Amino acid sequence: MVKVNSNYLKLKAGYLFPEIARRVKVFTDKNPAAELIRLGIGDVTEPLPKACRDAMKLAIDEMGTPDGFHGYGPEQGYLWLRQAIAKNDFQLRGCDIKAEEIFVSDGSKCDSSNILDILGEDNRIAVTDPVYPVYVDSNVMVGRTGKSYENGRYSGLEYLPITADNSFEPEIPGNPLDVIYLCSPNNPTGAVCSRLNLKAWVDYALKNDALILFDAAYESFIRDPQLPHSIYEIEGAKECAIEFRSFSKKAGFTGTRCAFTVVPRELKGHASNGQKIDLWDLWNRRQSTKFNGVSYIVQRGAEAVYSDAGKDQVNSLVSFYMENADLIRKELAEAGFQVYGGQHAPYVWINVPESMNSWDFFDYLLDKAHVVGTPGSGFGSSGEGYFRLSAFNSRNNVKNAMQRIAQL
Ligand code: MLT
């Protein structure tokens, strides 16, 4: 008799985005002529930068020659890409991150779940609320939580509310925790951790021998030069943090797949006998066993992000989406919504009208404006009463969506 992983049975419902897709399908089946504008899932819409496409085409041609053919690459990623990342994303910002500490992968979503493979089962784990649902669901799937409560939370996880009351900055807990997920710029709220807040978290982690899992997938959308892009801009972070980064949103790689995770050499965990263990060794072991690397062609495309042309094109792409975010912020504020985020992140977070909850507003917007967003409560119980709009779409679609909402 085949036994299933019963942890999956604890999962509350479908993953948020498939659930949205399901509701949208019900609507479009009934209203086939409706022209939907999708500002729900944060999937990019604009073409891949030319520099990346050119590099990938060259790589394809290379693969067609006996000398340029590449089979399995290094599981950690090709050294030339790791070096380009270490230099451009970290060393030029004053962070002492070396190429060997970069692990190239096919996505931050996978890495932020897979990281649980190398962490013990009895860690006290904290997530913010609202939160990118992958952090919670992946903990449920591997059995690190107990049952779920009515409000969607799980026993065994500590929740750190981020709401307008604390300016969407997670507060430092009074009790010791072992693993803390932080996401900045934040998905879903669009808020960014200040240097002060991040320093407080690093100090807390160092004091409590804790590990911060820092998701910086949206760092390139930060426009204020004072705000930190990497946790390694904070002194001591190399002893207490793993950072996840992605080419998905900044360079249009959501369908192409390339990301990376930084595991500093200094990072230690503890075995059950108290012995200190290098997390780098464990992650390297995990990746070498379970992962065969990202394709040579895609890594060449990612490397081109750091060429002069690539940097210009990525900047234009990011600016394009941030102009969309500006437009969403402005139009929704004028329409009377309380508007957050969207200044250093491609997500705008708004309060829904008082008479509705987040899913009511989702249905209302879908039904009346044919606009798809993401209900805040889908990200956690503290997201109830909020709604997320993504800036990833064409200018025309964003303008039309805002016009439709304004006319409601
Ligand atoms: C989102 O809409 O939150 C994103 O698509 C998440 C992701 O990148 O997986």
Side-chain angles (χ1 to χ4, degrees), residues 64-282:
T65 65
D67 287 347
F69 175 76
H70 287 74
Y72 291 127
E75 294 91 352
Q76 303 79 1
Y78 286 99
L79 190 59
W80 34 263
L81 177 56
R82 301 168 83 195
Q83 281 168 338
I85 293 169
K87 178 174 158 218
N88 290 282
D89 282 333
F90 297 101
Q91 292 159 9
L92 290 177
R93 301 194 66 84
C95 306
D96 174 29
I97 295 293
K98 298 176 189 65
E100 64 166 25
E101 295 172 310
I102 309 283
F103 289 81
V104 176
S105 77
D106 60 349
S108 292
K109 180 178 179 173
C110 329
D111 284 356
S112 64
S113 340
N114 291 337
I115 201 71
L116 293 176
D117 275 7
I118 67 163
L119 301 176
E121 281 178 4
D122 43 0
N123 284 308
R124 290 157 299 183
I125 296 186
V127 294
T128 60
D129 181 6
V131 65
Y132 179 41
V134 170
Y135 312 152
V136 172
D137 285 4
S138 55
N139 271 283
V140 177
M141 287 171 178
V142 297
R144 281 198 173 77
T145 68
K147 63 183 172 64
S148 65
Y149 300 119
E150 269 302 298
N151 64 3
R153 289 184 171 185
Y154 290 88
S155 66
L157 282 183
E158 189 111 2
Y159 290 84
L160 311 169
I162 45 173
T163 62
D165 292 341
N166 56 14
S167 309
F168 303 97
E169 279 201 330
E171 287 161 33
I172 307 296
N175 55 327
L177 295 165
D178 303 309
V179 178
I180 305 108
Y181 290 82
L182 296 179
C183 177
S184 175
N186 189 262
N187 181 8
T189 67
V192 188
C193 280
S194 65
R195 207 166 280 278
L196 212 62
N197 184 245
L198 215 47
K199 180 177 174 346
W201 273 109
V202 168
D203 290 347
Y204 170 87
L206 291 173
K207 185 169 155 226
N208 291 286
D209 239 337
L211 174 67
I212 297 174
L213 298 175
F214 190 70
D215 187 346
Y218 298 94
E219 60 74 36
S220 50
F221 295 87
I222 293 174
R223 293 190 281 190
D224 178 347
Q226 300 306 317
L227 291 167
H229 286 238
S230 166
I231 195 162
Y232 305 118
E233 289 176 43
I234 310 296
E235 207 186 326
K238 283 191 79 181
E239 281 103 70
C240 65
I242 286 176
E243 183 164 306
F244 305 105
R245 291 273 190 110
S246 174
F247 294 97
S248 281
K249 311 291 160 98
K250 74 182 210 184
F253 272 55
T254 51
T256 309
R257 311 307 308 151
C258 198
F260 59 91
T261 287
V262 187
V263 186
R265 278 293 198 175
E266 287 87 337
L267 269 185
K268 308 273 183 219
H270 294 91
S272 49
N273 63 3
Q275 188 195 345
K276 286 195 168 180
I277 307 285
D278 283 352
L279 292 187
W280 189 97
D281 288 340
L282 298 192

